[in-house]
Amino acid sequence: MKFENKAEIGTGIYTLPDLARILNLEYHKVQRLLNEYWDKRFAAEFSEKYSWTVGKSKAVSFHTLVEFYIFYQLKESGVSTHGILQAHKELSQIYETPFPFAKSEILDGINCFGKKIVFEINNDEIIDLDSTKQLNLKFIKSFMHKLEFDNNSLAMRLYPLGKKNSVIVDPRHQFGQPTIQGTNLFPETIYNLYKKKESKKFIAYSYDISVKQVNDAIEYCKTAA
């Protein structure tokens, strides 16, 4: 079996089902678009940073997970894959990062003017894309507010249901799988007990967490399902 590229500790490990579940997207669309996102034109320079494969199985890092959501929304608005890849390349060079779609300045600077999608870089420079329909900026702005960014404005953590919910995706913790913040507990552990008719108070007491954290785990699992 040949290993192509390899995961690094602290970058997260996400399979296609993980992407669909964490981002709450349809699996068949994730599968189809990720195959385009995998295009060698896109990752030729930074291939080891984007993904790795074992046989026919694929996995991606946390920053690719974040970028994939933006890629997904741009594709849904009717932007060509070529256009997205070109914008990504230009933004990558300007911001000197292989993950420009995971930068807060870029996410904050996306705007729409009819069917024109504009990345505002500064007063003198923009990158624009043509789409077949208007981008729903509400999805991207909402997604941005679910992220925490590091000192370099690069996404570092994701709250899949928003920051009021204690379920967090942190690539430096439990290989980036969703956990209840401040613990090593997977939401599925709590949800499975709940489905077995254990009371929320009993679950909270048993795992030394709050009832709110129990409710957050249940909400996340029901949404992901």
Side-chain angles (χ1 to χ4, degrees):
M1 181 179 293
K2 182 180 178 181
F3 287 73
E4 302 173 14
N5 301 332
K6 190 176 182 181
E8 295 179 6
I9 298 297
T11 62
I13 300 173
Y14 307 96
T15 62
L16 270 64
D18 290 334
L19 278 176
R21 174 170 51 88
I22 292 170
L23 298 176
N24 197 23
L25 301 174
E26 296 179 47
Y27 176 79
H28 74 277
K29 287 188 177 181
V30 170
Q31 185 180 40
R32 176 173 57 81
L33 290 181
L34 196 59
N35 285 333
E36 295 184 60
Y37 190 62
W38 228 270
D39 194 293
K40 290 182 180 179
R41 291 173 299 164
F42 184 81
E45 186 175 355
F46 302 105
S47 60
E48 75 283 357
K49 296 181 181 292
Y50 288 103
S51 60
W52 53 92
T53 63
V54 179
K56 294 183 178 180
S57 298
K58 300 175 181 178
V60 303
S61 68
F62 174 75
H63 290 124
T64 300
L65 177 145
V66 172
E67 287 206 305
F68 180 79
Y69 186 82
I70 306 306
F71 177 82
Y72 180 96
Q73 295 301 337
L74 292 173
K75 284 295 292 180
E76 286 290 287
S77 71
V79 180
S80 70
T81 300
H82 174 77
I84 298 172
L85 297 177
Q86 186 59 38
H88 187 279
K89 181 178 180 180
E90 292 183 42
L91 290 167
S92 181
Q93 292 170 346
I94 293 169
Y95 287 92
E96 299 181 335
T97 175
F99 307 109
F101 289 167
K103 294 276 286 185
S104 61
E105 301 104 312
I106 293 173
L107 296 181
D108 198 40
I110 298 177
N111 281 295
C112 275
F113 300 94
K115 294 180 181 179
K116 181 77 70 177
I117 298 168
V118 175
F119 294 91
E120 298 179 3
I121 300 169
N122 52 50
N123 293 332
D124 302 317
E125 191 171 9
I126 63 171
I127 293 175
D128 58 44
L129 296 170
D130 293 319
S131 60
T132 58
K133 57 185 178 181
Q134 190 168 4
L135 174 67
N136 192 331
L137 283 174
K138 183 165 61 177
F139 285 133
I140 290 181
K141 300 304 180 182
S142 174
F143 182 67
M144 181 181 176
H145 291 147
K146 295 176 182 179
L147 293 165
E148 286 185 351
F149 299 87
D150 63 20
N151 292 334
N152 295 315
S153 77
L154 197 63
M156 60 186 291
R157 284 186 287 269
L158 168 67
Y159 295 81
L161 296 186
K163 295 176 182 177
K164 292 183 178 180
N165 186 293
S166 59
V167 174
I168 188 171
V169 173
D170 185 340
R172 298 171 299 177
H173 187 64
Q174 294 288 58
F175 297 98
Q177 290 302 302
T179 58
I180 297 173
Q181 190 173 19
T183 78
N184 289 319
L185 287 170
F186 298 114
E188 292 81 5
T189 301
I190 302 303
Y191 188 53
N192 288 336
L193 288 171
Y194 172 74
K195 289 195 296 182
K196 292 177 181 177
K197 309 301 181 185
E198 297 289 0
S199 73
K200 294 178 181 179
K201 288 185 178 180
F202 175 78
I203 297 171
Y205 177 80
S206 298
Y207 285 94
D208 194 23
I209 59 177
S210 68
V211 172
K212 179 188 181 301
Q213 288 173 307
V214 172
N215 286 326
D216 287 348
I218 292 170
E219 180 187 9
Y220 170 76
C221 289
K222 285 184 174 179
T223 301

